[in-house]
Amino acid sequence: MSNWHDVAAQADLFEDAGIAVTVNGQELALFSVAGQVYAIDNACSHGPAKLCEGWVVGEEIECPLHQGRFSLQTGEATFGPACESVKIWPVRIENGRVWVSVDQSLS
């Protein structure tokens, strides 16, 4: 069984905006930033907020409730009140489709 999951059409992603997807019960947020697609846990580590509803600032996502920020590249908390990192997941694009692996996070 493949560890890669087809989660969305690349055309479903808009620059600097997030969408939520679920893979094997894991809720993720997908973001397209400067031609790169990122998959990150959708839950803020600081409180009950969905990161897919946040704002992209450079290559960071800002929590819509608490204004904490996370690196889309590493998952690291970069601005308080967030202090705990979130997981990021491997992404690949094939034939206009976004594929994510949730077997092992990159962070």
Side-chain angles (χ1 to χ4, degrees):
M1 183 174 196
S2 173
N3 61 351
W4 288 92
H5 304 271
D6 182 348
V7 296
Q10 191 173 12
D12 291 340
L13 301 176
F14 297 95
E15 187 71 12
D16 296 339
I19 65 168
V21 298
T22 301
V23 181
N24 289 351
Q26 177 76 33
E27 190 172 338
L28 309 177
L30 298 181
F31 293 92
S32 179
V33 178
Q36 179 71 38
V37 177
Y38 298 97
I40 189 168
D41 281 351
N42 197 24
C44 178
S45 63
H46 176 258
K50 294 189 181 284
L51 294 177
C52 69
E53 298 171 358
W55 299 273
V56 174
V57 179
E59 291 195 354
E60 297 178 335
I61 183 63
E62 182 175 298
C63 173
L65 287 181
H66 312 106
Q67 289 71 52
R69 290 186 190 170
F70 301 90
S71 167
L72 290 169
Q73 295 177 328
T74 67
E76 176 184 3
T78 60
F79 191 80
C83 59
E84 187 178 322
S85 297
V86 293
K87 291 182 181 178
I88 59 168
W89 304 94
V91 173
R92 70 181 191 206
I93 307 297
E94 286 184 6
N95 299 319
R97 300 293 302 174
V98 179
W99 294 75
V100 175
S101 174
V102 292
D103 290 343
Q104 185 172 2
S105 72
L106 296 172
S107 61

